[in-house]
Amino acid sequence: MTEKFRKWLDGDIDVMENITETTLQHDASREEIKRQEKRLRETIWELPGTGRIVGAERRTALIIYRVIAIISCVLLIGTLLYIVGHLPLYGVENPRATEVTKRYVEDGLRETGAVNIVAGMILDYRAFDTLGESHVLFTALICVMILLRKDSKNMRSAYEDYFTVEQDTYFRTHQDMIIRKIGFFLVPCIFIYGIYILLNGQISPGGGFSGGAVLGAGMIIFTSAYGFDKVDKFFTLKLSGYVTFAALSFYSFAKGYVFIMGANGLENHIPKGTPGAILSGGMILPLDIAVGLVVACTMYGFYSLFRRGSIGGN
Amino acid sequence: MIAWIRFAVSAVLIVTGLVSFAAGVIGNCRFGYVMNRVHAGGIGDTQGLFFIVLGLAFGEGSFMDILKLALLIVFMWNTSPVSSHFLSQVEYYTNPNLYEHMERK
């Protein structure tokens, strides 16, 4: 595999290799055909000029690549420096730097209903930004799944597979008593703490991202203590997908409603509640829960994919 | 007078804890092999934290504060040695060249 990759990297990949292997699988004289092909290939590659042409092509491609890389780097640096030069100076009175902060601090509680002004900022004033962050997490999970998931199209080599299966079997049969006992005592505490952080995002420090991270860490500890079999019974790939999809679409629709109402000057029918209670802050609590679920699914999905190449055993 | 004695005791205890943490940090930076680093990291999390919490308890004295600090000790002493144990167990079972690191040099 690595040799093949190196060959592909060097530019002399063997296109015929796969074709002959698949089409001539049941042929008796496969070795003979292979030998002939190899001879043919050697004669082609040994022709005067072939190597030179390929080398020249590669050299031009390399030069073009480097020129483009340097130009884009210089452009990016120049743009960023230009923008830095136009930023407002620190400590200077200007409306861009002071008015927004003043509005957040003075009117944040009245306008969002959240005692924790940071939660009011990230989930009410700047909810669009948080929506993008949640989608970034979802996209990252999808990318890791594309790269690392083991299925029929993406099998690893037999040796690696054997090695992982052997290791998993070992850890399943030799489960450590210390970790199991501590996990039995610790996992409920961690879950309760994560739910507490999640539900109190609008009245105390915390919120969706931190609470979801604690929940995901609790699931990882549970997996380390009791093995993947116990988690696979309720947390499958399908459930993870459903939960993430439901949370993200709920976020989008809820925030879309609020944005449309606010932009058109219509009345917002979501009650703000009394500041300081659990049910306060309008949409902040449900949005916190949605973000937390996405984060928890992503964290456990990363762990599971990196550990054994699948979520929920399939 | 009693306040000064309490301050002195708590200061000595906190400095002892900080020395343990410093030993852990230096060991984590100086050692190369994972087992040694797990050992060095565990010192700060158990001994250093115990002395610092003891010093804070002497300094504060309020019952609720001591209760919260005791809860901190319970959780940290349950989790930190177990994580060290888990790390070294994984290292023991997965490193094929384990015995090369155990030779006395």
Side-chain angles (χ1 to χ4, degrees):
Chain A
M1 189 64 203
T2 51
E3 200 186 338
K4 215 169 174 182
F5 181 67
R6 205 174 295 125
K7 265 183 174 177
W8 176 74
L9 209 63
D10 290 342
D12 50 2
I13 188 165
D14 200 350
V15 188
M16 292 299 287
E17 206 171 64
N18 281 328
I19 297 168
T20 47
E21 269 181 15
T22 47
T23 51
L24 304 176
Q25 233 163 20
H26 302 290
D27 208 321
S29 60
R30 191 175 151 200
E31 292 294 316
E32 177 61 29
I33 291 170
K34 261 196 155 179
R35 214 173 299 127
Q36 280 181 8
E37 267 187 79
K38 198 181 171 194
R39 211 175 301 136
L40 186 68
R41 219 176 286 135
E42 276 170 2
T43 44
I44 289 173
W45 278 101
E46 279 165 10
L47 281 176
T50 311
R52 197 156 48 79
I53 290 165
V54 172
E57 271 181 357
R58 281 181 60 200
R59 234 172 285 133
T60 11
L62 202 64
I63 288 167
I64 290 170
Y65 171 77
R66 280 180 181 164
V67 166
I68 289 174
I70 289 170
I71 287 174
S72 49
C73 275
V74 167
L75 270 180
L76 185 65
I77 292 169
T79 319
L80 289 177
L81 284 178
Y82 177 76
I83 291 168
V84 164
H86 283 72
L87 281 177
L89 289 173
Y90 181 75
V92 176
E93 279 288 326
N94 66 327
R96 267 181 298 176
T98 54
E99 267 185 14
V100 177
T101 322
K102 213 172 160 188
R103 169 95 179 250
Y104 285 164
V105 173
E106 286 178 354
D107 297 344
L109 181 58
R110 187 173 54 79
E111 284 179 353
T112 64
V115 179
N116 180 11
I117 297 175
V118 176
M121 250 188 264
I122 64 169
L123 284 168
D124 204 305
Y125 289 116
R126 300 184 177 178
F128 203 56
D129 180 56
T130 312
L131 177 65
E133 281 164 16
S134 315
H135 278 96
V136 164
L137 281 176
F138 181 55
T139 316
L141 181 62
I142 289 175
C143 293
V144 171
M145 210 183 287
I146 289 168
L147 289 172
L148 291 181
R149 193 173 164 219
K150 276 197 299 186
D151 53 6
S152 54
K153 291 176 192 164
N154 180 22
M155 282 303 286
R156 298 193 213 172
S157 68
Y159 170 73
E160 255 181 276
D161 218 30
Y162 170 75
F163 192 63
T164 0
V165 166
E166 192 195 37
Q167 263 188 354
D168 274 353
T169 322
Y170 185 86
F171 279 113
R172 206 179 302 138
T173 49
H174 293 71
Q175 267 178 359
D176 199 37
M177 189 52 81
I178 298 173
I179 297 169
R180 288 182 101 173
K181 289 289 174 196
I182 291 293
F184 181 78
F185 154 69
L186 212 60
V187 167
C189 299
I190 292 174
F191 272 109
I192 288 171
Y193 185 55
I195 292 167
Y196 165 78
I197 295 177
L198 209 60
L199 293 184
N200 281 275
Q202 73 276 26
I203 52 179
S204 68
F209 284 101
S210 32
V214 172
L215 284 181
M219 279 180 78
I220 290 171
I221 289 174
F222 187 78
T223 316
S224 315
Y226 292 96
F228 278 108
D229 300 340
K230 296 266 179 9
V231 182
D232 287 350
K233 280 184 184 140
F234 70 94
F235 194 86
T236 53
L237 182 63
K238 216 174 234 178
L239 180 81
S240 164
Y242 285 157
V243 166
T244 315
F245 172 72
L248 286 177
S249 51
F250 168 73
Y251 194 119
S252 309
F253 281 120
K255 245 15 235 188
Y257 168 77
V258 173
F259 282 150
I260 289 169
M261 287 295 169
N264 293 321
L266 298 171
E267 192 189 352
N268 190 349
H269 288 287
I270 298 163
K272 293 248 164 39
T274 49
I278 292 270
L279 290 172
S280 70
M283 291 304 293
I284 290 179
L285 177 62
L287 295 184
D288 255 343
I289 293 172
V291 173
L293 287 176
V294 174
V295 173
C297 287
T298 309
M299 275 195 67
Y300 178 72
F302 275 0
Y303 173 74
S304 184
L305 283 168
F306 275 99
R307 174 74 177 75
R308 57 172 184 167
S310 71
I311 298 177
N314 49 11
Chain B
M1 186 60 194
I2 288 183
W4 278 104
I5 291 172
R6 264 170 70 174
F7 174 75
V9 170
S10 84
V12 167
L13 285 171
I14 288 175
V15 167
T16 317
L18 286 179
V19 168
S20 303
F21 265 109
V25 170
I26 291 170
N28 247 334
C29 296
R30 293 271 306 192
F31 287 138
Y33 184 48
V34 59
M35 294 282 201
N36 305 339
R37 299 176 75 167
V38 160
H39 172 214
I43 286 175
D45 276 351
T46 52
Q47 195 189 17
L49 193 85
F50 174 69
F51 278 119
I52 285 180
V53 163
L54 212 60
L56 287 175
F58 264 102
E60 280 297 323
S62 153
F63 179 71
M64 276 311 285
D65 290 340
I66 292 176
L67 209 64
K68 283 177 193 170
L69 290 172
L71 206 63
L72 190 70
I73 287 277
V74 166
F75 275 104
M76 280 307 285
W77 277 18
N78 271 316
T79 50
S80 171
V82 171
S83 67
S84 304
H85 162 77
F86 197 42
L87 268 177
S88 22
Q89 193 195 34
V90 169
E91 169 71 13
Y92 180 77
Y93 285 130
T94 55
N95 192 356
N97 309 319
L98 185 71
Y99 290 95
E100 288 175 14
H101 297 280
M102 291 188 180
E103 287 161 8
R104 199 178 284 263
K105 279 169 190 163

